[in-house]
Amino acid sequence: MSVFYDKFERHAHGEGLKGQSTHYCAGCGHGLVHKLLSQAIEELGIQDNTVIVSPVGCSVFAYYYFDTGNTQAAHGRAAAVALGHKMANPEATVVSYQGDGDLASIGLAETVAAAQLGAPITVIFINNAIYGMTGGQMAPTTLMGQTTATSPDGRNQFNGQPIKMAELIAQLDGPVYVERVALYSPADRKKAAKAIKKAIQLQKEGRGYSFIEVLAECPTHLKMAPDKAEAWVKENMTKIFPLGVKKDTTVEPWFNRPQPCFKAETFVKAVGASSEAVQKHCKAFPSHLNPADISLKLAGSGGDGAQTAAMLIATAAINEGFDGTHIPAYGPESRGGTSYADVHVAKDEVLNPASPTPDILLAFNAPSLAKFGVTVKKGGCIIYDSSIAKDVKPMDPSITVVGVPFTEIAAGLGKMVVKNIVALGALQAATNLFPKETFMAAVKQALKDKASLIPLNEQAFQAGMDAAQAFLANKKK
Amino acid sequence: MPELKERPKPYLVPDYCKGCGRCVSVCVKGCIAFSDEINPVTGLVPVVLDLEKCTGCGLCIEACPEPYGLRALEQGEDFELQDPAKLFGEKPSAAPKPVEVPAKQIPLPKTEPLVIKGNYASAIGALLVGCRHVYGYPITPSTEGAELMAKLLPKLDGVFLQAVSEVATVNHMYGTGGAGLPTMTFTSSPGFSLMLEGVSYMVGAEVPGVFVNVMRGGPGLGNIAPEQADVKLACHGLGHGYSHCITLMPSTPQEMLDLTMLAFELSFKYRNPVIILADGYLGQMTGKVQLPDHMTEPGIPTWAVYGDLNHRKNLIASIQLLEQDLEKFNLYLHGKYESMQVEARAETFMADDAEILLVACNTPARAAKGAVQNLREQGIKAGLFRPVTIWPFPIEQLKAQLPRTKRIVMVEANASGQIENELRLALSKAGVTAIPPITHVRRCGGLLPQQTEVVDHVLSLAK
């Protein structure tokens, strides 16, 4: 019995008799199950690696007794906490010890989710058909007709029927072993001992989740002498909760997780960081557009690629050593089919990343052009998809308005997805925000795992540039 | 002929018998009987043993629910039954005194800045401090954090587990944090509400963990646009009982990374959860993010329940059953919260000579920053005071500004002035009575205060 503390220091500071006796009532099943668990842990030689999670309910103080790692969980959450322990240290043997209120009522979601996940933990479920700690109220496993403090006339149909947890858990795919046992006879106690040991053994071998339901006696709240309570469990409970193995599948050990990786190289690669400096092509900040902070708005419909184009502009800015930000469409304006992005390119620091009055508008459709065209600053620039937006209203004469058929050009290239790259090419030619090389460097970075697409994107960018230049040349004439 | 080994017979210290009699019915020899003699020490009625006919079958021992009830008397053992003290003196657990497993710093090569969303930056910040256990339940606008973790953690042999709910999430964190490892989650307002029970338990059991709450509009389902309406929840509503957590409010993607790293450090320093309040805008915002020059391989603290011999002694629990114990613990917690005051942080922008002090956090602070510059261009001495920690409130830093401050303008994204309430409470607690007039620019419901609104408000004050 070495898995029990020699002295229960946590039980009222181990003072007096409490240092050596449990807090359970006379004849309670919990003490017996504690002994069976202690025995299994000892026999399997896993005391040092065991973590026992105690629930809320009568066994809330299980940590008084077991000389193992102990965690006390919130009501119903023991299985979730146990998983947290198992994930932290897969070598640990983690036991979630729960009563009927904890496991089958308030914690039902956590119970079922942990079982279906199937990660090797051991759940020991004490079903005594009543709430003990709160004083004899109805449990989810209370029998029909059974009188409790909250079913004073006996449990009836309006209270629902007792839930058969072992059967419920056994029909899930996750568990490898589910058995219901009892404590009322020497033979049953032996079976219970064997079941608990097997459940822990399966965990130790990394084979999976196991669930042992123990029909236990609560003489105090059944208001019976312990021997009568034993007889009551045998005669009444086993009719509703038949004993036996409910599931026992042979699964090869599978839960062997590696230690987490802390290699600098692996980390840097995983997050996509690069030590390779991107070549700079800008001679100076494009202050002809704004002295310190250029604001852009990119607007279109979902699928136009406005967000990707916005990302590429922000990336290009940062590659050049400037600051850049991008905020995707957010807020009520995003309703009604319009998707937009606010982008800033700043010499030093973007103070405010929103673009309510942009220097540059890149519009992929007519509603966007109508909506945001009027917000563009005097002296600003609007580039729009002239294949979609035909009747463009006159703008403030200080604003440069450039129409480029993004859609037609992209269609001509055979890939509609490059529409946004066409648009970026047009943006470059119309504003000279950055040199072509800067944009293309950002495009190549984004396509580093799809290098075969680079030539098409280069073609699209050039076509956008050419079209914008032709438009501007035409306008001058 | 080998000597027949006699099976051990039971013995019982009557003080440890509750008289349930489960042993009585299993003894076929009738050696155990109920008695009617009340034990003067316990007030209970223990069974009595007459072992003359005992065969040492052991069934009574197996039937006894008490660990130190009926026990086997091994051959040669000699117990003085009349003197329990001799048996049950101070015998502590054989588990060793836990030794700290130290963390390691791992140098990182110099890299080009990343161009990433705020939510991603926060996730990478967590990975940098060695967090390899992330739990979460998808909720807009925080989901990218979980998605990136689900993608990256397998590459780092870590664990991302999509929990069945936010309630399960926080309890997975309670387990992993209790095991002494760094753990975190991404959530948004309604999800954070669900986690609060667990936060209270983590505070009570002194379990570290980081919660990134990318705030959205509320109450109820509200909407998925940004709001700053969970400030009161983070500062004054972290579940039941006496619970507080350091709460950080980043305003740039870079800060999402930096403050997530800081959050873990503080969480372990104080053995207490740390909250990061971001807003939906910031979570989605892409910007420049520079990685630091090192990352951390976490150790295991001495208090952890890791599931090994070193930590076998330990307990993670929030129960203090005796009133005196809970009072002592809550006073200790109070002391801990007081000691967290030194972690109060604030940033200022053009505030050295500012007469009009804008106060804002998160994305609204960036609108305010733009407004400050705009106002300065118009000759108005405006400055920004940005609390980086909203709990504890950076009152000392604010007090340093007050002698020059003629007006305070709160810029925030909620209807009731939750940041203003923190400021007023901090001023009141600090005994500051000479408070400049406080006005505000507030938007809510998913709309953020705009730079022009802030500028217009300040200009209207000057009139």
Side-chain angles (χ1 to χ4, degrees):
Chain A
M1 286 216 280
S2 65
V3 176
F4 286 118
Y5 289 116
D6 287 334
K7 189 176 177 195
F8 304 143
E9 296 283 356
R10 291 178 182 138
H11 189 189
H13 301 290
E15 277 164 19
L17 298 172
K18 293 189 171 175
Q20 213 82 45
S21 63
T22 68
H23 70 288
Y24 297 115
C25 304
C28 173
H30 277 300
L32 276 171
V33 182
H34 283 17
K35 279 174 74 174
L36 301 180
L37 179 56
S38 154
Q39 203 178 306
I41 292 167
E42 191 185 354
E43 285 171 17
L44 293 168
I46 51 165
Q47 182 180 8
D48 293 339
N49 298 95
T50 300
V51 174
I52 295 177
V53 182
S54 6
V56 169
C58 284
S59 50
V60 61
F61 301 121
Y63 63 83
Y64 284 175
Y65 312 117
F66 293 101
D67 188 355
T68 61
N70 281 287
T71 292
Q72 198 290 312
H75 198 23
R77 321 297 172 215
V81 172
L83 280 176
H85 274 290
K86 190 70 183 179
M87 296 300 163
N89 180 8
E91 302 288 308
T93 299
V94 187
V95 178
S96 180
Y97 187 106
Q98 301 173 259
D100 41 41
D102 195 87
L103 180 137
S105 183
I106 192 168
L108 204 50
E110 286 79 3
T111 298
V112 173
Q116 182 64 349
L117 186 71
I121 59 169
T122 305
V123 176
I124 296 179
F125 168 42
I126 310 300
N127 176 5
N128 56 14
I130 200 145
Y131 278 54
M133 182 148 275
T134 46
Q137 296 81 12
M138 187 178 68
T141 50
T142 290
L143 303 184
M144 296 309 280
Q146 187 185 336
T147 304
T148 71
T150 49
S151 57
D153 301 323
R155 185 174 192 168
N156 59 36
Q157 213 165 0
F158 291 99
N159 307 124
Q161 301 192 34
I163 187 165
K164 302 176 180 73
M165 285 310 298
E167 286 78 4
L168 191 153
I169 297 295
Q171 65 85 34
L172 298 172
D173 299 317
V176 292
Y177 174 50
V178 180
E179 183 169 354
R180 184 183 286 122
V181 294
L183 302 170
Y184 48 69
S185 75
D188 282 292
R189 286 192 281 269
K190 283 205 166 58
K191 275 187 202 162
K194 215 175 124 201
I196 288 172
K197 188 175 171 183
K198 177 172 172 176
I200 295 175
Q201 176 81 32
L202 289 169
Q203 174 178 181
K204 197 184 160 198
E205 292 167 2
R207 291 177 197 270
Y209 171 101
S210 46
F211 181 95
I212 306 299
E213 175 170 343
V214 185
L215 301 186
E217 295 78 13
C218 177
T220 300
H221 293 298
L222 290 174
K223 301 186 175 71
M224 293 174 192
D227 56 336
K228 297 279 185 304
E230 284 181 343
W232 185 85
V233 171
K234 185 178 178 182
E235 278 150 35
N236 298 288
M237 279 189 84
T238 54
K239 279 185 196 143
I240 305 301
F241 304 113
L243 303 181
V245 175
K246 307 291 169 182
K247 183 173 185 183
D248 190 0
T249 42
T250 310
V251 174
E252 288 308 306
W254 61 276
F255 193 80
N256 42 0
R257 294 199 58 86
Q259 282 295 311
C261 166
F262 297 99
K263 285 194 194 109
E265 197 187 333
T266 316
F267 172 81
V268 168
K269 193 168 171 241
V271 302
S274 164
S275 298
E276 211 174 298
V278 183
Q279 207 188 334
K280 290 184 171 54
H281 303 281
C282 284
K283 292 192 179 67
F285 183 75
S287 51
H288 61 284
L289 298 168
N290 192 305
D293 187 340
I294 303 157
S295 83
L296 299 94
K297 189 175 285 286
L298 287 76
S301 311
D304 282 339
Q307 305 303 336
T308 308
M311 271 295 283
L312 290 169
I313 299 169
T315 306
I318 290 164
N319 284 345
E320 290 293 346
F322 309 131
D323 195 11
T325 56
H326 158 220
I327 307 174
Y330 226 95
E333 290 89 346
S334 69
R335 305 294 182 274
T338 307
S339 148
Y340 73 88
D342 287 2
V343 176
H344 274 251
V345 175
K347 199 172 176 180
D348 304 312
E349 184 198 352
V350 176
L351 297 182
N352 183 3
S355 303
T357 54
D359 295 296
I360 298 167
L361 170 67
L362 195 56
F364 288 85
N365 60 24
S368 301
L369 181 60
K371 184 166 186 157
F372 299 113
V374 292
T375 65
V376 176
K377 271 184 214 151
K378 284 190 177 165
C381 181
I382 297 172
I383 303 116
Y384 70 94
D385 186 349
S386 58
S387 18
I388 292 172
K390 298 290 184 194
D391 302 315
V392 178
K393 284 180 193 154
M395 300 283 175
D396 185 289
S398 72
I399 294 172
T400 311
V401 182
V402 181
V404 169
F406 308 157
T407 308
E408 276 169 32
I409 294 173
L413 292 168
K415 280 268 183 195
M416 284 306 288
V417 290
V418 295
K419 185 159 80 171
N420 56 350
I421 304 299
V422 174
L424 284 181
L427 169 75
Q428 195 289 324
T431 65
N432 200 20
L433 176 65
F434 307 124
K436 178 189 174 184
E437 294 77 13
T438 301
F439 281 104
M440 282 316 298
V443 170
K444 283 172 190 164
Q445 252 175 302
L447 291 174
K448 66 174 186 286
D449 299 326
K450 295 176 199 160
S452 63
L453 294 175
I454 291 172
L456 173 68
N457 278 270
E458 194 134 31
Q459 227 181 326
F461 191 88
Q462 189 61 49
M465 278 180 73
D466 293 346
Q469 272 156 0
F471 182 94
L472 288 164
N474 216 8
K475 216 175 168 186
K476 270 182 194 163
K477 282 176 201 165
Chain B
M1 194 177 156
E3 191 186 340
L4 271 177
K5 203 178 171 190
E6 202 180 329
R7 290 191 295 194
K9 289 183 179 180
Y11 78 92
L12 177 68
V13 179
D15 293 358
Y16 298 118
C17 174
K18 292 171 178 166
C20 74
R22 288 183 88 127
C23 52
V24 175
S25 55
V26 294
C27 182
V28 288
K29 299 284 178 187
C31 302
I32 312 173
F34 288 105
S35 143
D36 49 12
E37 206 171 308
I38 296 173
N39 181 305
V41 181
T42 62
L44 300 172
V45 187
V47 295
V48 286
L49 275 57
D50 177 0
L51 300 180
E52 203 178 320
K53 293 180 191 158
C54 176
T55 59
C57 73
L59 290 179
C60 59
I61 294 167
E62 283 173 23
C64 177
E66 281 293 312
Y68 293 102
L70 278 167
R71 300 169 74 181
L73 179 61
E74 294 296 335
Q75 244 180 343
E77 276 186 290
D78 181 24
F79 292 100
E80 187 57 70
L81 294 188
Q82 299 311 310
D83 185 11
K86 227 171 150 183
L87 275 171
F88 308 122
E90 187 81 22
K91 275 190 257 169
S93 153
K97 189 171 184 283
V99 179
E100 185 172 350
V101 180
K104 287 180 209 152
Q105 299 299 325
I106 297 151
L108 285 179
K110 191 170 164 33
T111 51
E112 291 295 300
L114 297 169
V115 184
I116 49 173
K117 283 185 181 198
N119 283 338
Y120 291 159
S122 178
I124 292 173
L127 296 176
L128 279 162
V129 292
C131 175
R132 295 291 182 272
H133 295 83
V134 178
Y135 305 98
Y137 189 85
I139 182 165
T140 308
S142 74
T143 326
E144 292 86 359
E147 287 172 356
L148 188 68
M149 288 302 199
K151 188 177 152 195
L152 297 187
L153 279 167
K155 296 180 183 175
L156 299 168
D157 295 327
V159 175
F160 171 78
L161 179 61
Q162 184 166 317
V164 70
S165 67
E166 280 91 352
V167 177
T169 298
V170 67
N171 285 286
H172 294 323
M173 289 172 70
Y174 182 87
T176 297
L181 300 188
T183 182
M184 61 109 54
T185 192
F186 287 92
T187 190
S188 181
S189 308
F192 190 54
S193 284
L194 272 172
M195 291 176 179
L196 292 178
E197 175 203 40
V199 172
S200 173
Y201 275 78
M202 286 172 81
V203 168
E206 300 198 86
V207 173
V210 172
F211 296 81
V212 179
N213 175 6
V214 185
M215 293 182 285
R216 63 186 241 186
L221 214 49
N223 62 26
I224 55 169
E227 221 182 34
Q228 291 176 304
D230 296 350
V231 171
K232 67 127 186 19
L233 199 60
C235 294
H236 305 286
L238 294 176
H240 57 283
Y242 187 51
S243 51
H244 286 288
C245 296
I246 294 173
T247 301
L248 304 161
M249 295 184 82
S251 77
T252 62
Q254 179 71 54
E255 232 183 2
M256 285 290 272
L257 180 135
D258 296 343
L259 293 186
T260 302
M261 293 179 70
L262 175 67
F264 277 96
E265 185 194 318
L266 298 176
S267 189
F268 275 83
K269 180 175 174 185
Y270 293 102
R271 275 190 73 180
N272 202 64
V274 172
I275 315 294
I276 293 176
L277 290 183
D279 62 68
Y281 233 74
L282 178 57
Q284 304 298 322
M285 186 194 302
T286 296
K288 175 160 74 173
V289 176
Q290 188 72 56
L291 296 182
D293 61 6
H294 70 276
M295 67 176 199
T296 306
E297 177 175 348
I300 307 173
T302 51
W303 50 260
V305 175
Y306 185 69
D308 61 356
L309 175 63
N310 187 17
H311 300 91
R312 199 180 92 197
K313 248 186 168 45
N314 293 334
L315 166 69
I316 295 291
S318 59
I319 307 180
Q320 306 282 347
L321 194 61
L322 305 178
E323 293 83 347
Q324 297 87 333
D325 289 348
L326 186 55
E327 183 180 53
K328 199 172 144 195
F329 178 73
N330 282 351
L331 291 174
Y332 154 78
L333 263 189
H334 181 73
K336 186 158 95 169
Y337 298 147
E338 289 292 305
S339 72
M340 288 176 189
Q341 295 298 323
V342 299
E343 306 299 345
R345 287 163 166 82
E347 188 204 66
T348 56
F349 176 68
M350 294 190 174
D352 289 351
D353 63 341
E355 292 172 354
I356 295 184
L357 195 63
L358 306 182
V359 179
C361 302
N362 299 138
T363 301
R366 302 197 66 173
K369 215 169 183 180
V372 166
Q373 194 179 48
N374 202 318
L375 289 162
R376 286 274 173 176
E377 283 163 8
Q378 302 184 48
I380 292 167
K381 285 188 176 175
L384 171 69
F385 181 80
R386 181 170 71 85
V388 173
T389 56
I390 191 71
W391 197 97
F393 191 89
I395 185 64
E396 292 306 319
Q397 292 89 330
L398 179 66
K399 271 163 72 182
Q401 295 292 333
L402 290 182
R404 294 176 301 279
T405 305
K406 291 183 179 158
R407 280 181 170 279
I408 291 175
V409 177
M410 304 297 305
V411 180
E412 56 184 306
N414 62 74
S416 56
Q418 295 187 4
I419 297 170
E420 181 177 332
N421 288 344
E422 292 310 308
L423 177 134
R424 286 181 183 274
L425 182 64
L427 286 169
S428 165
K429 278 186 165 177
V432 179
T433 47
I435 302 171
I438 301 176
T439 57
H440 58 78
V441 180
R442 293 176 194 162
R443 295 301 297 270
C444 60
L447 299 171
L448 296 181
Q450 294 298 308
Q451 184 173 326
T452 47
E453 293 170 332
V454 179
V455 170
D456 291 349
H457 175 80
V458 173
L459 291 176
S460 76
L461 294 174
K463 276 175 194 165

